[in-house]
Amino acid sequence: MENFKPLKQIKASDAVAQQLRAAIFDGTYRAGDKLPSERELIESFQVSRTVVREAIKGLEASGLVQIKQGATGGAFVKLLTFERLSGVCRDLFFVGRLSFKEICEARLIVEPQIARMAALNCDEMYSKALSDADLHESDTLEYPETVVLRQKVHCLLADMCGNRFLAAISKSLLQLVGEINEVLDTDTDLIHPIGLHKEIVDAVIANEQDKAEQAMRNHLTEFLGILQKIEQDFRENERTLI
């Protein structure tokens, strides 16, 4: 029998939303711009009013647009803010406009410095918390608990660094990687093998700032290699389904 390729089934409202997202991401519609009216979208996409409304509601739920009522109302593109950065970047990844390499490059700028600052601030309480997090990162392999456990060392270091803005950036990037891999259904042991945090934890507990910074840089570089292989497989699989 022929090796037929499976068809990708997608709801009409999702297809409309995807095209509108792409138009927002490529700058066709910028922050403050009004999207075409319901009537115009119905005519352009040749779909029902219900389909268009579902698509717009999806964009609103993801934080891309704001719905305003009244004669001059409609769906307006929202300004990209830190609060909704993770969800938007997740969408960008799946439409091929963001890569794991770019995400990890951002982490390589932020997290080695966080590790250095955490080493400076580490005390007995934090030492115990870090050791426990490292020791128990594989207590369960059930999702999503296992993701929380594997990210706990990073979250503790973010809290320890003493800079709430850096901590928020770090945790947002962690959340973004986790959300993408949840959609990809990536095996946790594949994406983040056990034991990758030990060198970082030991250096931070010992208050060795240089070693902590370098250990984090080494860890994220190794982690990037794993993520790039996962993304390569995903992109290749996507191409075979087109």
Side-chain angles (χ1 to χ4, degrees):
M1 181 179 289
E2 288 284 341
N3 292 320
F4 293 114
K5 295 178 182 178
L7 297 176
K8 294 179 69 175
Q9 294 185 342
I10 183 170
K11 287 173 57 180
S13 58
D14 290 340
V16 171
Q18 283 183 5
Q19 291 195 47
L20 291 173
R21 278 194 194 92
I24 292 170
F25 292 151
D26 68 18
T28 301
Y29 299 103
R30 300 181 182 275
D33 288 348
K34 181 181 177 181
L35 294 183
S37 67
E38 273 190 5
R39 182 182 297 277
E40 290 170 321
L41 292 174
I42 289 168
E43 292 176 356
S44 295
F45 289 108
Q46 293 294 293
V47 294
S48 69
R49 185 180 301 275
T50 300
V51 167
V52 167
R53 288 185 174 178
E54 284 183 2
I56 297 298
K57 284 182 180 178
L59 296 179
E60 182 184 29
S62 64
L64 282 174
V65 302
Q66 177 183 9
I67 308 301
K68 297 181 180 179
Q69 305 299 327
T72 59
F76 292 82
V77 179
K78 292 177 67 175
L79 181 68
L80 178 62
T81 62
F82 187 75
E83 179 184 356
R84 63 188 181 89
L85 185 60
S86 180
V88 171
C89 286
R90 182 188 61 239
D91 290 339
L92 285 170
F93 178 89
F94 285 106
V95 296
R97 296 175 182 269
L98 185 69
S99 68
F100 273 140
K101 181 176 183 291
E102 292 168 298
I103 297 168
C104 282
E105 283 175 345
R107 292 185 67 181
L108 276 164
I109 293 171
V110 173
E111 292 195 57
Q113 182 62 29
I114 282 177
R116 168 178 281 277
M117 296 165 73
L120 177 66
N121 297 330
C122 191
D123 56 20
E124 185 176 346
M125 180 187 71
Y126 277 129
S127 294
K128 184 179 186 309
L130 279 173
S131 296
D132 286 347
D134 188 45
L135 180 64
H136 296 290
E137 66 178 13
S138 288
D139 279 4
T140 178
L141 295 179
E142 295 294 322
Y143 190 89
E145 290 83 1
T146 185
V147 175
V148 174
L149 291 176
R150 298 288 168 95
Q151 292 182 344
K152 192 165 184 180
V153 165
H154 288 276
C155 290
L156 280 169
L157 294 174
D159 291 337
M160 293 167 63
C161 82
N163 185 304
R164 287 172 290 187
F165 190 70
L166 285 177
I169 294 172
S170 175
K171 290 178 180 180
S172 293
L173 290 168
L174 283 170
Q175 179 182 340
L176 173 58
V177 172
E179 288 178 352
I180 291 172
N181 280 290
E182 179 184 0
V183 177
L184 296 178
D185 196 25
T186 308
D187 179 78
T188 305
D189 279 332
L190 172 64
I191 185 176
H192 204 302
I194 190 170
L196 295 186
H197 297 133
K198 177 125 183 34
E199 186 180 353
I200 303 168
V201 169
D202 288 347
V204 170
I205 289 175
N207 301 113
E208 295 179 329
Q209 297 176 62
D210 289 343
K211 286 187 177 180
E213 181 179 347
Q214 188 58 51
M216 179 61 81
R217 184 169 287 108
N218 293 342
H219 164 52
L220 291 175
T221 301
E222 180 181 359
F223 188 51
L224 171 57
I226 296 171
L227 289 177
Q228 284 185 302
K229 179 62 170 65
I230 291 170
E231 181 175 358
Q232 180 184 355
D233 292 343
F234 166 68
R235 302 292 183 204
E236 288 178 355
N237 184 56
E238 283 284 286
R239 284 194 289 272
T240 63
L241 295 179
I242 295 175

